Amino acid sequence: MRVCVLGAGVAGLTSAYQLARDGHEVTILEGRDGAALEASFANGGQLSYSYVAPLADPSVLPHLPAWLLQSDSALRFVPRLDPQQWRWCLSFLLACRGERARQTAIEMLQLGALSRATLHDLVQREAIDFNYVRNGKLVVYRDANAFDAARRKMAYLQTAGSDQRALDAAACVALEPALERAQPLLAGGIHTPSEEAGDCHRFSVALADVLKTRYGVTIHYETPVHSFVTERGSAVAVRTPQGEWRADAFVVALGNGSAPLLRELGMRLPMYPLTGYSLTIPGAPGQAPRVSVTDLHRKLVYAPLGERLRIAGMVEIAGMHVAQRERRLALLKRQAQEIFPDAGDYAKAQTWCGHRPATPDSKPLIGATPYRNLWLNTGHGALGFTLACGSARVIADAIAGRTPPLDLGAYAWQR
């Protein structure tokens, strides 16, 4: 079957990989001039399979006023005359209900576990260099009450197969000596030895090369998709500046571009772009962390990528607008130096600002649409790299008519 994948980010490329391995003739259409140049470009770098709990959780509600009103808050809301923004925020609040949030957490953990197994299989099969390490993850807490709550939540997640242990401040430093100067700030931490890290952009570029050279996948860059051609309940082609591309099936993996493309087909995807920031600095030997670290107080993540350190965080609900880029990047740098002052050369930081395509409940949209040969694999938010391989496996199974290893209804559009 001829399958056309729309988007060459990590979700689109992994989808193409699973489809090509199934024997399909696969074409990828990408509007940018290379792979993974949007949300996949310089994300946090952590493959956090055990930390995929939704942002929408009852525990966030008491913190929302401070997060939304303080200028240095990790979460920042910039109101706009945009009905989509307000619909998304209302749906987010509804998704914070306790039972729904707990069920979502379990479903995300299942998708994370599938994604980890699928990535391991890919890494074993293909020679891909992307600074991949299985280095574990340490989430550090500065507030004793927050740490106690985390330990209780850890016990709950362990029932779903999560492998974690609680550490006091001294044990955190023993595990990651780069935290020594920050020890007085710490109440404790949760260590998950199974977590991993890697460079999503390098992974995507290398996978694109594997797709072309080993699996015969055709990738057309600088080919933005403007609209669909439909007939009798099916998508028969997409329109681009280079003409129409026809296929037997289409997979929409365009991230933030998915919603406007599908709106003309009467599909309103519950997605909104959440802005995030990152720094990539040359790591200082012996001073940069070798374990992935998350500072929960600041909502910042630290991932070692070879000789570099990736620092990422912040969530802005502001649409595609970026009004305070330099100010937010400067804040990110100051907060990183607070916990890892000697981790590397901050003066040489490569900066990035990107828009994560997020759903209100944090679950991606995977599966069928009202058009029988049009499929979704989009809306992964900040977890695109973590969930990409599992999502690709699910969509390939669905297209092939196989029973996916997960409940596809949990990730369906209009769930």
Side-chain angles (χ1 to χ4, degrees):
M1 184 164 61
R2 295 175 302 161
V3 183
C4 185
V5 176
L6 310 184
V10 69
L13 291 165
T14 51
S15 297
Y17 177 76
Q18 294 295 331
L19 291 164
R21 286 197 58 209
D22 275 351
H24 299 296
E25 179 185 333
V26 181
T27 298
I28 301 174
L29 303 182
E30 165 59 44
R32 297 292 295 271
D33 61 0
L37 294 179
E38 296 287 347
S40 301
F41 182 68
N43 60 20
Q46 293 184 344
L47 292 159
S48 297
Y49 308 108
S50 298
Y51 286 90
V52 292
L55 179 63
D57 184 271
S59 64
V60 310
L61 295 177
H63 301 286
L64 282 179
W67 286 353
L68 299 179
L69 296 175
Q70 294 175 1
S71 61
D72 63 347
S73 171
L75 176 62
R76 184 167 170 264
F77 175 61
V78 182
R80 307 228 171 247
L81 295 175
D82 179 0
Q84 185 182 0
Q85 183 190 56
W86 292 95
R87 280 194 298 267
W88 190 94
C89 290
L90 177 59
S91 296
F92 174 84
L93 293 175
L94 292 174
C96 288
R97 291 174 296 180
E99 185 56 37
R100 180 177 175 184
R102 284 190 291 272
Q103 180 61 31
T104 296
I106 295 297
E107 291 164 348
M108 296 282 278
L109 280 170
Q110 292 170 343
L111 182 58
L114 175 64
S115 199
R116 175 171 52 203
T118 308
L119 176 65
H120 289 177
D121 179 70
L122 188 155
V123 169
Q124 185 175 0
R125 289 175 179 274
E126 317 296 347
I128 291 181
D129 177 16
F130 60 105
N131 299 128
Y132 176 56
V133 287
R134 301 183 183 182
N135 59 340
K137 176 173 175 174
L138 177 64
V139 179
V140 295
Y141 296 81
R142 306 190 192 194
D143 179 77
N145 290 330
F147 181 43
D148 288 340
R151 284 187 289 189
R152 291 193 296 271
K153 190 172 186 177
M154 177 190 71
Y156 170 72
L157 293 177
Q158 284 175 331
T159 64
S162 182
D163 176 20
Q164 298 177 322
R165 60 192 178 104
L167 306 176
D168 62 19
C172 289
V173 175
L175 176 69
E176 179 45 76
L179 285 167
E180 182 175 9
R181 291 182 60 177
Q183 183 173 343
L185 300 173
L186 305 182
I190 303 294
H191 179 228
T192 310
S194 60
E195 304 296 71
E196 305 167 356
D199 187 323
C200 184
H201 180 249
R202 290 188 63 172
F203 172 84
S204 300
V205 170
L207 183 58
D209 185 62
V210 167
L211 288 171
K212 290 185 290 185
T213 59
R214 183 170 179 181
Y215 293 95
V217 173
T218 303
I219 306 179
H220 295 277
Y221 296 115
E222 299 182 280
T223 308
V225 175
H226 293 159
S227 61
F228 279 96
V229 179
T230 61
E231 293 178 2
R232 295 184 295 276
S234 294
V236 297
V238 289
R239 299 185 181 97
T240 77
Q242 289 77 23
E244 291 187 357
W245 297 84
R246 304 180 73 86
D248 302 310
F250 296 86
V251 177
V252 179
L254 287 168
N256 288 309
S258 303
L261 178 66
L262 294 175
R263 195 173 296 133
E264 69 171 50
L265 298 183
M267 298 174 57
R268 178 172 286 173
L269 303 188
M271 290 170 49
Y272 198 72
L274 303 185
T275 307
Y277 299 84
S278 79
L279 309 172
T280 307
I281 65 173
Q287 299 296 323
R290 305 313 303 168
V291 172
S292 290
V293 174
T294 294
D295 177 1
L296 198 73
H297 178 74
R298 295 297 191 190
K299 304 295 187 295
L300 299 184
V301 302
Y302 302 82
L305 303 176
E307 301 303 316
R308 302 165 297 146
L309 178 66
R310 174 71 48 77
I311 305 162
M314 301 185 181
V315 176
E316 288 181 348
I317 309 171
M320 299 298 286
H321 303 274
V322 183
Q324 300 184 2
R325 175 188 171 102
E326 297 308 318
R327 181 177 174 182
R328 295 292 276 179
L329 287 167
L331 174 62
L332 178 61
K333 186 181 295 186
R334 290 197 303 273
Q335 292 180 341
Q337 289 174 306
E338 181 181 77
I339 192 168
F340 288 121
D342 304 316
D345 191 344
Y346 286 92
K348 295 182 179 178
Q350 295 177 327
T351 63
W352 176 79
C353 170
H355 304 284
R356 304 150 176 161
T359 62
D361 62 4
S362 298
K363 289 190 295 186
L365 303 172
I366 313 170
T369 73
Y371 294 82
R372 53 181 169 267
N373 64 336
L374 178 59
W375 305 83
L376 297 177
N377 188 11
T378 190
H380 294 77
L383 294 170
F385 194 18
T386 296
L387 300 178
C389 288
S391 301
R393 166 77 185 280
V394 170
I395 199 65
D397 284 348
I399 291 173
R402 298 187 295 263
T403 301
L406 303 176
D407 175 16
L408 200 55
Y411 309 94
W413 175 61
Q414 294 189 326
R415 50 183 173 254

